[in-house]
Amino acid sequence: MFLGTHTPRLDDKGRLILPAKFRDELAGGVVITKGQERCLYGFPMPEFQRIAGQLREAPVTNKAARAYSRVFFASAHDEVPDKQGRVTIPAHLREYAALGRELVVIGASTRVEIWDKQSWDDYLAASEDEFADIEEGVLPGGL
């Protein structure tokens, strides 16, 4: 399970040094793809394969499933981190997420999310007030 907030930097070659806490789980390979709210999702290979299986089960006649699958898979980039725990984020994904040098990498249970620092700060500012109000709808009965 991925937890916590980390603030690495993107180097000049578009590489991200994965947070040390995440490296063991991602050592066998990571798939980076477009996520919601203009962030990137990073999945360990087994989790990506599980999600791919779910998407394969969606009927091809479902227009929303086709559209989601196209973007999800077409933008996906798989890589095994190097010995320093670095992965390259391709230019098309850096552009999608408007990544600058300053990043925020968060643990989001079964995935990692990669955000531009300013985008993350803006997201938090806009959503933290709603956090308490949405608990009941997300977790029936609350915590």
Side-chain angles (χ1 to χ4, degrees):
M1 180 180 296
F2 297 105
L3 302 171
T5 302
H6 308 271
T7 54
R9 299 184 87 172
L10 200 62
D11 73 13
D12 293 335
K13 295 180 181 177
R15 294 178 301 191
L16 161 69
I17 298 176
L18 295 168
K21 282 180 71 172
F22 299 165
R23 289 183 197 165
D24 284 346
E25 196 162 347
L26 298 174
V30 60
V31 178
I32 301 171
T33 191
K34 291 179 179 179
Q36 270 52 61
E37 291 85 34
R38 292 278 176 173
C39 75
L40 302 178
Y41 290 165
F43 296 100
M45 188 58 74
E47 178 65 9
F48 185 82
Q49 290 169 338
R50 185 189 69 76
I51 293 166
Q54 287 181 315
L55 289 170
R56 274 193 302 274
E57 292 175 14
V60 74
T61 56
N62 182 316
K63 186 176 181 178
R66 285 193 317 271
Y68 187 83
S69 290
R70 285 178 184 134
V71 173
F72 188 76
F73 291 114
S75 65
H77 169 76
D78 63 322
E79 186 171 349
V80 174
D82 69 12
K83 291 179 182 178
Q84 288 80 36
R86 296 178 299 195
V87 292
T88 300
I89 300 177
H92 74 279
L93 291 174
R94 293 193 310 264
E95 290 168 15
Y96 168 80
L99 299 183
R101 295 211 14 111
E102 302 295 323
L103 303 180
V104 173
V105 176
I106 66 166
S109 184
T110 60
R111 71 178 181 274
V112 170
E113 292 185 0
I114 304 164
W115 291 77
D116 175 75
K117 184 177 184 329
Q118 187 60 55
S119 296
W120 175 249
D121 291 345
D122 293 346
Y123 175 81
L124 277 183
S127 64
E128 277 191 325
D129 290 341
E130 299 169 7
F131 177 71
D133 297 335
I134 62 175
E135 176 189 315
E136 197 167 301
V138 175
L139 297 171
L143 291 177

